[in-house]
Amino acid sequence: MDDKIKALLINCTLKPSPAESSTDVLGGQVLDALAEQGVSCDSIRAVDHDIRPGVQTDMGDGDEWPSLRERVLAADILVFATPTWMGQHSSVAQRVLERLDAELSETDEKGRPILFDKVALAVVVGNEDGAHHIAAIVFQSLNDVGYTIPAQGSIYWNGEAMGSTDYKDLDETPEKVAQTITTAAANAAHLARALKTAAYPAA
């Protein structure tokens, strides 16, 4: 068994590369904090890939999700990052959640859901309210398919109401956000190692 803990950031910004993304900045800060915990990190900007709508592991006809899914399955920690648009998570985030729904029917050699023993963090960023609502949706969806949520596992930033400053434009990371990043990363790494040592039992 590979004892190295791995994390994958799925950035659900609506902006294709190489456009700057506040979601990418905050998600990257979470990966940096996880790296300080000895975690190996990887990232995907979902909008750069042809992820077909559907709830199967492979929707065929050029669907890129199957190759991305392999990276999801290889990760012990999923950092699910989305911007806030109209008080909701992005359409890209919804599509990724729908594709993860296929894992409900996938089991390991012990008959357990294949995403058991994996940990998820939520990252939400935007210039409007809605972060708690979005985190609740993301956590419920990811928990449904098997992910475990660590204590204080959501990291978010809301800009001033109707303001024009983006997170990526800040001169420095707000103190409370920095503290939350550190705590969430430490808790996620701890939980991932604990689950790797003592997995959930088969029913």
Side-chain angles (χ1 to χ4, degrees):
M1 180 179 66
D2 182 2
D3 292 330
K4 182 71 171 180
I5 299 297
K6 303 179 182 68
L8 174 68
L9 165 68
I10 299 185
N11 175 5
C12 296
T13 179
L14 299 180
K15 299 174 182 176
S17 298
E20 293 183 344
S21 158
S22 290
T23 313
D24 192 52
V25 172
L26 184 53
Q29 291 175 331
V30 174
L31 290 189
D32 288 343
L34 285 166
E36 292 178 3
Q37 296 291 328
V39 176
S40 174
C41 299
D42 185 17
S43 64
I44 293 168
R45 188 179 289 208
V47 75
D48 290 343
H49 300 276
D50 187 358
I51 301 173
R52 299 298 170 91
V55 291
Q56 299 176 24
T57 57
D58 188 346
M59 298 304 299
D61 191 27
D63 181 22
E64 291 184 48
W65 179 253
S67 61
L68 300 178
R69 176 178 178 264
E70 292 303 313
R71 292 162 70 179
V72 171
L73 296 181
D76 304 290
I77 301 170
L78 176 65
V79 181
F80 192 95
T82 178
T84 305
W85 288 112
M86 303 175 74
Q88 305 292 325
H89 54 294
S90 73
S91 57
V92 175
Q94 182 62 28
R95 179 160 296 187
V96 172
L97 290 174
E98 288 167 350
R99 295 306 301 270
L100 286 169
D101 183 75
E103 306 309 328
L104 279 169
S105 60
E106 300 293 324
T107 56
D108 63 16
E109 67 278 359
K110 297 180 181 178
R112 306 176 313 148
I114 201 168
L115 294 176
F116 269 29
D117 309 326
K118 296 183 182 294
V119 174
L121 294 174
V123 174
V124 185
V125 62
N127 287 319
E128 55 185 296
D129 197 8
H132 283 179
H133 166 72
I134 293 170
I137 290 174
V138 168
F139 280 154
Q140 183 60 53
S141 300
L142 295 178
N143 186 254
D144 275 349
V145 299
Y147 282 98
T148 299
I149 311 305
Q152 298 185 344
S154 65
I155 305 101
Y156 68 90
W157 179 84
N158 287 333
E160 182 181 359
M162 301 182 186
S164 59
T165 300
D166 291 334
Y167 186 79
K168 62 182 174 59
D169 300 323
L170 299 180
D171 293 330
E172 58 183 6
T173 304
E175 181 180 355
K176 290 296 184 182
V177 176
Q179 290 174 353
T180 303
I181 290 170
T182 299
T183 299
N187 289 350
H190 171 79
L191 181 57
R193 290 190 174 97
L195 288 172
K196 205 155 195 173
T197 300
Y200 286 116

